[in-house]
Amino acid sequence: MNENVIAVQELSKNFNLGKGKSISVLKNISFLACSNEFISIVGPSGSGKSTLLRCMSGLLNPTQGSVKLDAIDPYQLSPSKTAKMRRTKLGFIFQSYNLVPALPVFENVVLPLRLSGIKIDRPSVERLLKSLNFTAKLTSFVGTLSGGEQQKVAIARVLVTRARIIFADEPTGAVDAKAKEIIFDRLRKLADNGACVIMVTHDVDLAARTDRALVLKDGQLIKTLTNPDATEILAAIGKG
Ligand SMILES: Nc1ncnc2c1ncn2[C@@H]1O[C@H](COP(=O)(O)OP(=O)(O)O)[C@@H](O)[C@H]1O
Ligand SMILES: [Mg+2]
C-alpha cells in the first residue's frame, strides 16, 4: 500500500517587501503525495515553484496553512529535531546546487553521511558519480566545475542517503540530454522503490513522464494532471 507521506493544506506564502508592502507568492495550495509517487511541479518562471518546494520541505515557513511530512509538521519541531528529520528522511536538490565550494567533489557528496556518522565507502561513491556520467576529478573543488557537473554532485549528495522524501528543483536544468535521462531514471527508480519524489521542472516532456503534474500559475495550483501527456501540460500552462 502506498502511504501518504506529504500533506499540504491550504498553504499560502507572502513575502514582506518592507514599508508595509508584501507580495502573495503562493495562494491556498492543497494536495497529498504518496510513497512510490513521482510528482512534477510545472509552471511559468516566477509562478512560485521553488517557493512551494521550500515551504513543503521544512525550509521556509508558510504564512498560512500547514505541511505534514510523514504526519509531522516540520515547523512545529525543535531545531534539533528538524535537523534530524532533514538528515534522516529528506533529500533536497537545490536549483542553485547549494554545494560547499571550498570542499572537493567527494566531500560534498558524502557530507550528509559524515553529518550522520555513517561509514563511507569510497568506491561506491566513485561508482555512483560514474553512473551519473560525472567526468571531473573527485578531488576537484566544486567551485571550479561547470554547472552541469555541479548539478550531478548535488544529485549524488542526495542519492548517497536513504532519503524517502525527495525534493528536486530543476535537477536537469544544467546537464546535457544524456545526463538528463540518467538523472530522470534515477529519480524514477527512487519512487519505484518507495520514495516520494517531487520534481520542479521546465521540461514538459520530462513532466509528462511523471505520475502526476501539478500546474502552478501566479501562485495558484490551477490543475493536477494524472498520467499527464505533454499536450495537456502545455495547454494547462497556457502554451498549448
Ligand atoms: N525571498 C523572497 N522575497 C521576495 N520575493 C520573493 C522571494 N523569493 C521569491 N520571491 C518571488 O516569488 C515569486 C515566485 O518565485 P519562485 O518560487 O522562485 O518561482 P519559480 O521557481 O516558479 O520561478 C517571484 O515573483 C519571486 O520574485
Ligand atoms: Mg524556481
Side-chain angles (χ1 to χ4, degrees):
M1 249 273 286
N2 296 349
E3 304 155 66
N4 177 233
V5 285
I6 303 177
V8 174
Q9 264 178 337
E10 297 177 4
L11 184 149
S12 296
K13 179 68 189 174
N14 302 337
F15 285 113
N16 285 325
L17 300 176
K19 296 185 183 161
K21 285 191 183 160
S22 77
I23 50 165
S24 155
V25 170
L26 296 173
K27 296 159 189 151
N28 203 31
I29 292 183
S30 302
F31 67 92
L32 302 174
C34 294
S35 55
N36 286 100
E37 222 184 351
F38 191 177
I39 293 181
S40 51
I41 300 179
V42 295
S45 283
S47 56
K49 304 181 297 296
S50 294
T51 306
L52 177 58
L53 218 56
R54 288 165 67 210
C55 286
M56 282 170 73
S57 59
L59 294 172
L60 182 67
N61 213 330
T63 308
Q64 270 174 20
S66 70
V67 173
K68 298 262 172 67
L69 302 172
D70 273 344
I72 296 166
D73 182 337
Y75 300 103
Q76 302 293 329
L77 295 177
S78 65
S80 68
K81 287 202 166 142
T82 314
K84 186 168 180 220
M85 181 185 219
R86 271 207 212 113
R87 276 203 314 270
T88 55
K89 273 189 194 170
L90 310 183
F92 204 116
I93 301 164
F94 292 89
Q95 191 168 6
S96 48
Y97 321 131
N98 278 29
L99 301 171
V100 186
L103 287 179
V105 168
F106 182 79
E107 288 303 324
N108 268 277
V109 174
V110 302
L111 199 55
L113 303 181
R114 291 223 191 278
L115 292 173
S116 299
I118 294 171
K119 195 171 169 283
I120 289 155
D121 176 34
R122 193 173 179 105
S124 78
V125 173
E126 287 169 0
R127 279 196 300 276
L128 169 63
L129 281 163
K130 206 166 170 209
S131 77
L132 294 173
N133 225 14
F134 181 81
T135 52
K137 286 203 189 91
L138 270 70
T139 50
S140 306
F141 290 98
V142 292
T144 66
L145 303 178
S146 70
E149 296 301 89
Q150 289 191 41
Q151 190 150 45
K152 291 172 196 167
V153 175
I155 288 158
R157 187 175 59 180
V158 166
L159 292 175
V160 293
T161 69
R162 301 248 167 91
R164 292 192 58 254
I165 305 179
I166 290 147
F167 302 96
D169 198 348
E170 307 209 15
T172 63
V175 298
D176 62 27
K178 188 173 172 200
K180 179 168 99 173
E181 284 303 313
I182 294 170
I183 291 163
F184 183 85
D185 287 346
R186 291 301 290 250
L187 294 175
R188 175 80 262 173
K189 231 169 246 152
L190 288 174
D192 290 346
N193 289 328
C196 174
V197 181
I198 314 275
M199 172 181 73
V200 168
T201 185
H202 268 118
D203 190 317
V204 170
D205 292 318
L206 275 195
R209 290 157 62 192
T210 62
D211 302 325
R212 247 189 320 151
L214 308 182
V215 185
L216 277 193
K217 203 166 193 179
D218 297 329
Q220 282 178 301
L221 177 56
I222 57 162
K223 211 156 210 167
T224 299
L225 302 164
T226 303
N227 298 324
D229 66 46
T231 320
E232 260 183 318
I233 297 171
L234 282 170
I237 299 174
K239 291 184 189 161

